[in-house]
Amino acid sequence: MSTSTSGQALPEPPATRSRSVLRDWLFPPRPTEPSTVTTRRERRAIVAELLIVFAITLGMAGVQSLLSLLDALLRPEGLGEQAVAINSSRSTLGLLDLAQQLVNILRLFAWGALGAYLLWRGGIALRSVGLRGDRIRGDCAGGAGMAALIGVPGLGLYLLAHSLGLNLSVQPSTLDDAWWRAPVLVLSALGNSFAEEMLVVGYLLTRLRQLGLRENGALWLSAVVRGSYHLYQGFGGFVGNVVMGLVYGRVWQRTDRLWALVVGHALIDVVAFLGYALLRGRVGWLP
């Protein structure tokens, strides 16, 4: 900021402020908190914790997803001729199917809670990673904007990738038309969003800051992890979720608002799950 001859500070020109804002979004400075861990023992403990957490949650899902994609590539039919379901029946008996759906949803919430607990247990205030309740309206509005920003282009990318034979036909729901289908799909969307945003954004990016990684390097690692457990959908699913990870991760790095990401992700999944269940077999453009 420049100063006048009288010693008073002059406001920066709009063009200078715009360049400064753009630079901070493209190359954000590392925040002072949490501080970088320097002792070897503590750094090794963080690395071990990361490996264990992702080995039992989304990291293992990424490995399974890669194997699923390899299996699809080795089949005689092309990717575009194959289908994969996200929410499918787990039992031929209605009540047992409902129970298994709820158990799976509970596991997703437990995964997210594990990341939050480990941060809290390690001395990280959960408010500092965006788990705060004093900005509900703002987070809901921001989440709706994030859903629109990612959801509409994401659908276009999926349809393009599928038409090019680079993606399987993704069926967000193949559940029977039972009385509990709609609430289960909504709960599934909430579980997915909380687990993913808590683990690959709030938890992972915080731990990488403690290890001293630069913001951009950590962002790319988080985005690739997010894309990896969507590989079962095909290459379009991988690319689309990497892009989503870059956008969502950067927003969190600049705002520390995790609930907005959870809301945005949940809205995308609710629309996809319920929309597909209602439109399946009724529109020709939906694979």
Side-chain angles (χ1 to χ4, degrees):
M1 182 178 292
S2 59
T3 57
S4 65
T5 55
S6 61
Q8 295 180 339
L10 296 176
E12 293 181 345
T16 302
R17 289 199 301 271
S18 297
R19 287 194 297 269
S20 178
V21 170
L22 180 60
R23 183 176 61 251
D24 287 343
W25 275 87
L26 293 177
F27 306 100
R30 186 195 181 283
T32 57
E33 295 292 336
S35 59
T36 302
V37 174
T38 57
T39 61
R40 179 178 297 181
R41 180 178 180 181
E42 291 181 357
R43 292 177 64 85
R44 291 170 66 180
I46 290 176
V47 171
E49 180 188 287
L50 285 170
L51 293 175
I52 293 171
V53 168
F54 282 94
I56 61 177
T57 60
L58 296 173
M60 187 60 67
V63 175
Q64 293 175 325
S65 190
L66 174 60
L67 295 176
S68 177
L69 175 60
L70 291 175
D71 177 67
L73 289 171
L74 293 174
R75 294 183 180 182
E77 62 269 27
L79 291 182
E81 302 173 19
Q82 302 177 47
V84 60
I86 297 178
N87 295 285
S88 58
S89 295
R90 298 171 181 269
S91 173
T92 56
L93 300 177
L95 290 181
L96 283 180
D97 192 7
L98 171 60
Q100 293 203 51
Q101 299 293 335
L102 293 177
V103 167
N104 184 61
I105 292 168
L106 181 61
R107 177 167 56 242
L108 291 171
F109 280 109
W111 284 0
L114 174 63
Y117 171 77
L118 290 173
L119 290 180
W120 172 79
R121 190 69 176 82
I124 305 294
L126 295 184
R127 289 174 58 88
S128 69
V129 299
L131 293 179
R132 47 191 301 180
D134 58 345
R135 300 185 297 193
I136 299 299
R137 290 185 179 181
D139 285 338
C140 288
M146 296 292 290
L149 177 65
I150 295 297
V152 176
L155 176 59
L157 176 61
Y158 161 66
L159 293 175
L160 175 62
H162 183 268
S163 66
L164 294 175
L166 299 174
N167 219 78
L168 288 79
S169 295
V170 179
Q171 300 173 337
S173 173
T174 58
L175 295 175
D176 295 333
D177 189 12
W179 62 267
W180 47 263
R181 181 176 66 175
V184 160
L185 290 177
V186 171
L187 288 174
S188 178
L190 293 172
N192 280 325
S193 60
F194 179 66
E196 292 189 39
E197 303 311 326
M198 184 66 246
L199 286 175
V200 300
V201 177
Y203 170 74
L204 178 58
L205 290 180
T206 298
R207 286 300 194 224
L208 294 179
R209 279 175 175 173
Q210 291 182 287
L211 291 176
L213 267 70
R214 294 183 178 181
E215 296 290 273
N216 281 346
L219 177 65
W220 274 101
L221 179 56
S222 170
V224 170
V225 170
R226 185 192 294 262
S228 71
Y229 53 82
H230 290 92
L231 276 168
Y232 70 94
Q233 300 177 7
F235 298 104
F238 172 77
V239 173
N241 279 278
V242 167
V243 173
M244 179 180 178
L246 292 174
V247 174
Y248 272 40
R250 179 64 92 223
V251 168
W252 180 83
Q253 287 177 330
R254 298 296 299 149
T255 66
D256 291 326
R257 298 181 69 167
L258 191 66
W259 282 129
L261 306 187
V262 174
V263 170
H265 190 154
L267 287 175
I268 292 173
D269 282 0
V270 167
V271 171
F273 295 170
L274 291 181
Y276 185 87
L278 294 174
L279 297 177
R280 184 184 180 191
R282 300 181 183 180
V283 294
W285 56 268
L286 194 62

